[in-house]
Every structure is written in C-alpha cells, then in structure tokens.
C-alpha cells in the first residue's frame, strides 16, 4: 500500500522514469515470449530456439540496469531524518523500492502478454501477423512456461534493486588522536597529562568526564591550569602576559582540527582516480586479440558460427565499460591542465568527483554502440533486410543504456543541488554554471566519441575480412 501511495503521489518526472522501466520490461517480455513461440513452432530446431533465448539476456540485463538507476533516483524512497521513528528505516525503504520496481515491471510484462496474444489472434480470433514464425499462431501456449518467462523480468529487477539499495554499515573511523594517559582509580582517560594534585580538586574528574556541567568561570580556570601544566620546563606563565604568536597559532590549529573531528566532518582528501582504467584497457585489448585470432576468413554468417568472435566482442565491450570511470576522471584532470580558469576548474572538479557515477553508464553506452556496429557487420555485411526482433532488441538495449546515462546525470545533479545553491548564494552567475555543464558534456563527447568509433571499427575489422 505504501508503494502504491508513493507511486501515485510522485513527481511527473519520476512517473516518466518508471514508465521507461515499464516499457523496457514490456519489450524484454515480448522478446522472451517470441523465443517461446519460436520453440513451439520449430520443435525440430532446439539449438536455434536456445540461441534466441540466450540473446534475450542482453535486453534483460539492460532493463535491470535501468531499473536500478531509476530506483536510486527515486526521491520518495530516500532515507530522511525521522522516518526510522515511524518504522521507515533504510531496510524498509529498500523493500519499498523493490516493491515499486516489481509494480512497474509487472505492468510492462502484462502489456507484453497482451500484445503477444493480440498478434497471435488469441484475443480477436484473426492473427495480425500471419507469416510470423515467432508467434506459433494456432498452437496453445503452455501456461507454466509463459508465466515463468513473464515473471523473469520483475523478479530479477526487484532482486537487483534490493541488492543495490541494501543498507550498508559504515566502518567506524580510526582513532587519530594520541593515546590518553590514565591513573589508578580515575573515572576517565584524559587526552593530556594533568599536573600533580589536579585530580584532588573537588569535581575535577566529573567535569573532565562530561558528567557535570561546567559553571561560569570554571572553563577559564581549567584552561589556565592546563596551560600551566603543559608549559615548557623552566617557564612560568604570568597572568595577563600574552603568549607568542606561534604558540597561539599552533593552539588555534589544534583546536580547529579537534573541533572538525568532533563535529564528524571528514578531512579534505584529494579525489583519487578510479582503479578500473588499467583493467579495462587490458580486457579491451584481450577481447580484440581474441576476436582477431579466432575469427575465420570470410564475411557473413550467423553469430553461432563464430563463437570466438562473440567472446572477443563481449570482452571488448566489458573492457570499454570498465574503463569508463577512469577515462571520465582523466577527462576531468585534462580540463584542469595548463593554467585553468574558474570555468575549466569547476568543470574538471565536477567530472573528477562524478567519475564513477557518470563514467560507468557512459562506458556502457560506448560498449553497446561498438558492439551493435560490430554485430551488424558480422550478421548483415551486405546491408540486407534486418528482422523486426533484431531491431527491437537493438533499440531496447541502446535505449535502456542511454536512459540509464541520463538518469545517472539526474542523480548527480540532485546530489550537487546543495553545492549549486551555495555557489549561487556566493554570487556565481547561473550562466557560468550552464557553461560549465556544456563544457563537461563537450569534453566527454570529444573523448568518448572517437574512442567508440575506433573500437567499433577495430572490432568489426576481423569479422568482415
């Protein structure tokens, strides 16, 4: 019920993303049902039917990938302060996201079933597509197999969303301060040594341990006492005498660091580059090598005739997807070279910060584009007629990956909302922020566009010789 209410009261943009998930689920379910229809109509060709069913793994993976991205950007299922008190903790919100995904995918699967039955003529009595060999018109559909194939997309997508949004416990921060020294019988371990006799003062150990509030004037007295206890040997602090500037600066820096640590603010660390770039380049090179060595001479044929070429193509696509975050981080670093101004510096830092979030779906888009071009060169070298199911599968995979990239961009924009508001509050012109966004998009296109073309051409070269 909560998932239904959140679905009904969501923003129109959220509804649009959920409709995209439902459409992708409908397309994948229709392809699965077509594989079942081909198996029913061609009982003497089990390998061909099994190959059609195996090709449905790519649309299924693309649909699940899109469902995870949409679930992450859903504002209705994000943890908020106070929701745990009413029973809506991170685990419950994760279940709500999974339930919402099940609803969207189930609606798409039902639409796919209705369209498939309509094309077969089960609803109207007259088949719409008479010569379709993937519909098995006139033969009854097995109900268990049909329900299993239709439930595959909702169950897989919901399980993937639950795994991606499961609550994770943050590791306890390591203690960076010096080890405290205690005394026999002390109630608490102090961070600094105390002078002889300080423990004997009435209430001193309780105030240090945080059990009693400090009255007015006690903090100054304790500070004076601690200053006297930590003064160098041979020196005596004189009341009213100013401390040296170096000592005051050191004390101020130490106080600031302690205050920042106590407030829970993590120290500023440089943005580390993702570690997947070398592995991605290695897997990409290995895939191209396997594809070149195992491809026989002569063009054309079916994908089943060249298993080595398919393995190499898959490895090349995986390598390009793994290298996406590292290439995005490298693009952001290149934007900041050679005396950058405020515009290039802002665009480069955002790219480096969002390298993993934007780079991974961008690498997947490039991999899908290169693989689609190579598969077209493998199967249709003479630019012959392409079947409708092939067009549907390619459009489904490409559309899901592009929609995932756009959804990741929306998620990154939502996470940068506070930073953008702070920049506008400080007086940054909105046009500058728009130019920085355009610069980021242009830099990514200038890097990934030629790379995708080169990988696609090199992947298709052994397949067309």
């Amino acid at each position: 019920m909560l998932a239904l209410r959140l679905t009904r009261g969501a923003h129109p943009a959220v509804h649009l993303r959920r409709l995209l998930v439902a459409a992708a689920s409908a397309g994948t379910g229709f392809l699965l049902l077509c594989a079942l229809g081909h198996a029913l109509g061609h009982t003497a060709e089990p390998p061909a039917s099994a190959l059609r069913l195996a090709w449905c793994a790519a649309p299924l993976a693309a649909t699940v990938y899109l469902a995870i991205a949409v679930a992450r950007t859903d504002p209705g299922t994000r943890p908020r302060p106070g929701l745990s008190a009413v029973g809506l903790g991170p685990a419950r919100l994760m279940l709500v996201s999974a339930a919402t995904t099940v609803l969207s995918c189930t609606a798409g699967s039902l639409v796919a079933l209705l369209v498939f039955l309509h094309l077969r003529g089960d609803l109207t009595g007259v088949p719409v597509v008479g010569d379709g060999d993937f519909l098995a018109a006139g033969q009854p559909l097995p109900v268990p197999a049909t329900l299993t194939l239709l439930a595959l997309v909702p169950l897989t997508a919901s399980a993937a969303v639950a795994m991606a949004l499961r609550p994770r416990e943050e590791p306890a921060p390591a203690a960076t301060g010096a080890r405290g020294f205690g005394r026999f019988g002390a109630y608490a371990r102090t961070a600094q040594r105390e002078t002889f006799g300080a423990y004997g003062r009435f209430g001193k150990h309780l105030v240090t341990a945080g059990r009693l509030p400090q009255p007015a004037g006690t903090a100054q007295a304790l500070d004076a006492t601690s200053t006297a206890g930590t003064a160098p040997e041979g020196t005596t602090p004189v009341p009213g005498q100013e401390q040296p500037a170096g000592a005051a600066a050191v004390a101020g820096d130490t106080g600031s660091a302690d205050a920042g640590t106590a407030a829970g603010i993590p120290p500023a660390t440089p943005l580390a580059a993702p570690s997947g770039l070398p592995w991605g380049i290695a897997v990409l090179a290995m895939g191209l090598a396997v594809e070149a060595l195992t491809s026989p001479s002569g063009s054309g044929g079916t994908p089943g005739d060249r298993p080595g070429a398919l393995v190499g193509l898959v490895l090349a696509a995986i390598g390009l997807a793994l290298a996406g975050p590292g290439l995005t981080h490298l693009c952001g670093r290149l934007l900041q070279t050679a005396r950058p101004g405020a515009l290039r510096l802002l665009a480069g830092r955002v790219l480096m910060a969002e390298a993993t979030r934007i780079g991974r779906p961008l690498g997947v888009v490039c991999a899908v584009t290169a693989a689609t071009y190579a598969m077209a060169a493998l199967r249709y070298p003479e630019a012959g007629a392409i079947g409708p199911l092939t067009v549907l599968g390619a459009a489904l995979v490409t559309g899901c990956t592009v929609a995932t990239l756009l959804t990741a961009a929306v998620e990154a924009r939502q996470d940068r909302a506070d930073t953008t508001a702070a920049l506008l509050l400080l007086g940054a012109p909105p046009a500058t922020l728009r130019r920085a966004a355009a610069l980021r998009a242009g830099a990514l296109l200038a890097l990934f566009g030629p790379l995708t073309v080169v990988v696609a051409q090199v992947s298709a070269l052994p397949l067309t010789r």
Side-chain angles (χ1 to χ4, degrees), residues 169-214:
E169 295 183 0
E170 297 182 358
T176 56
R179 182 179 178 181
F181 296 92
R183 300 170 306 280
F184 178 76
Y187 287 94
R189 302 177 66 87
T190 57
Q192 59 183 358
R193 298 193 181 192
E194 297 176 348
T195 57
F196 178 77
Y199 180 74
R201 297 188 184 93
F202 179 76
K204 174 64 170 60
H205 59 284
L206 297 179
V207 173
T208 306
R211 301 182 183 181
L212 293 178
Q214 296 185 7

Side-chain angles (χ1 to χ4, degrees), residues 48 122 215 273 351 425:
D122 294 339
L351 280 181
L425 186 61

Side-chain angles (χ1 to χ4, degrees), residues 120-137:
R120 280 170 46 90
D122 294 339
L123 300 180
T124 60
V126 179
V128 178
V129 183
D131 56 348
D133 60 344
F134 53 86
L135 296 178

Side-chain angles (χ1 to χ4, degrees), residues 47 62 72 152 184:
R72 284 179 174 173
L152 185 61
F184 178 76

Side-chain angles (χ1 to χ4, degrees), residues 38 53 119 127 146 208 231 250 276 291 328 334 354 356 370 380 425 427 455:
H38 185 274
L53 185 61
L119 293 179
T146 304
T208 306
V250 171
E291 187 179 356
T328 304
L334 291 178
E354 305 292 341
T356 302
Y380 307 101
L425 186 61
V455 172

Side-chain angles (χ1 to χ4, degrees), residues 26 41 45 48 66 86 99 105 128 160 189 193 219 235 274 291 297 343 358 372 388 390 459:
E45 302 176 0
L66 176 61
V86 294
C105 294
V128 178
R189 302 177 66 87
R193 298 193 181 192
T235 60
E291 187 179 356
S297 60
L343 186 62
I358 300 296
T372 303
T390 304
S459 300

Side-chain angles (χ1 to χ4, degrees), residues 46-449:
S49 301
L51 183 60
R52 283 176 175 263
L53 185 61
W55 276 109
C56 295
L60 177 61
T63 303
V64 171
Y65 194 39
L66 176 61
I68 293 175
V70 170
R72 284 179 174 173
T73 57
D74 193 351
T77 57
R78 287 190 174 185
R80 294 184 181 89
L83 289 182
S84 298
V86 294
L88 293 178
R92 182 70 180 278
L93 291 178
M94 178 264 295
L95 295 178
V96 171
S97 299
T100 305
T101 304
V102 166
L103 291 176
S104 301
C105 294
T106 303
S109 298
L110 292 178
V111 171
L113 178 61
L114 293 177
V115 172
F116 186 74
L117 293 178
H118 177 69
L119 293 179
R120 280 170 46 90
D122 294 339
L123 300 180
T124 60
V126 179
V128 178
V129 183
D131 56 348
D133 60 344
F134 53 86
L135 296 178
Q139 299 185 13
L141 288 177
V143 178
T146 304
L147 294 180
T148 301
L149 292 178
L150 290 178
L152 185 61
V153 179
L155 293 180
T156 306
S158 61
V161 167
M163 287 295 296
L165 300 182
R166 68 186 185 276
R168 298 178 176 87
E169 295 183 0
E170 297 182 358
T176 56
R179 182 179 178 181
F181 296 92
R183 300 170 306 280
F184 178 76
Y187 287 94
R189 302 177 66 87
T190 57
Q192 59 183 358
R193 298 193 181 192
E194 297 176 348
T195 57
F196 178 77
Y199 180 74
R201 297 188 184 93
F202 179 76
K204 174 64 170 60
H205 59 284
L206 297 179
V207 173
T208 306
R211 301 182 183 181
L212 293 178
Q214 296 185 7
T218 307
Q220 290 81 355
L222 292 178
D223 292 340
T225 306
S226 61
T227 304
T230 56
E233 296 182 2
T235 60
T236 304
V238 180
Q241 182 178 357
E242 296 182 358
Q243 297 292 333
V250 171
D253 294 342
T254 305
S256 300
D258 295 341
T261 305
I265 302 175
T269 56
L271 298 176
S275 59
L277 182 58
W279 291 100
I281 295 177
V283 174
L284 175 61
M286 183 172 61
L288 295 178
V290 169
E291 187 179 356
L293 293 176
T294 59
S295 296
S297 60
S299 60
T302 60
D305 299 336
R306 300 186 176 191
L310 292 181
V311 172
L313 185 60
V314 170
L315 288 177
I318 292 176
L320 191 56
L322 288 177
L327 292 176
T328 304
H329 189 275
L330 178 62
C331 184
R333 186 174 292 276
L334 291 178
L335 277 178
Q336 303 176 68
T337 57
R339 302 176 62 87
L343 186 62
R344 287 198 293 139
L345 188 62
L346 179 60
R349 294 295 289 182
V350 171
L351 280 181
M352 293 174 64
E354 305 292 341
T356 302
R357 181 177 299 170
I358 300 296
R360 184 174 290 114
L362 186 57
V364 171
V365 169
C366 297
V368 167
T369 304
T372 303
Y373 180 82
M375 287 304 302
L378 169 64
R379 194 166 184 178
Y380 307 101
E382 290 85 10
I386 302 178
L389 296 183
T390 304
V391 175
L392 176 61
L396 183 61
V397 174
T398 306
C400 286
T401 52
V402 173
T404 303
L405 176 60
L406 297 178
T407 306
V410 172
E411 181 184 4
R413 182 179 180 182
Q414 291 177 355
D415 290 345
R416 293 197 312 268
D418 296 339
T419 305
T420 304
L423 290 176
L424 293 176
L425 186 61
L426 291 175
T432 302
L433 301 180
R434 289 192 294 267
R435 286 197 298 268
L439 181 60
R440 292 195 301 268
L444 291 177
L445 184 61
L447 178 63
F448 281 91

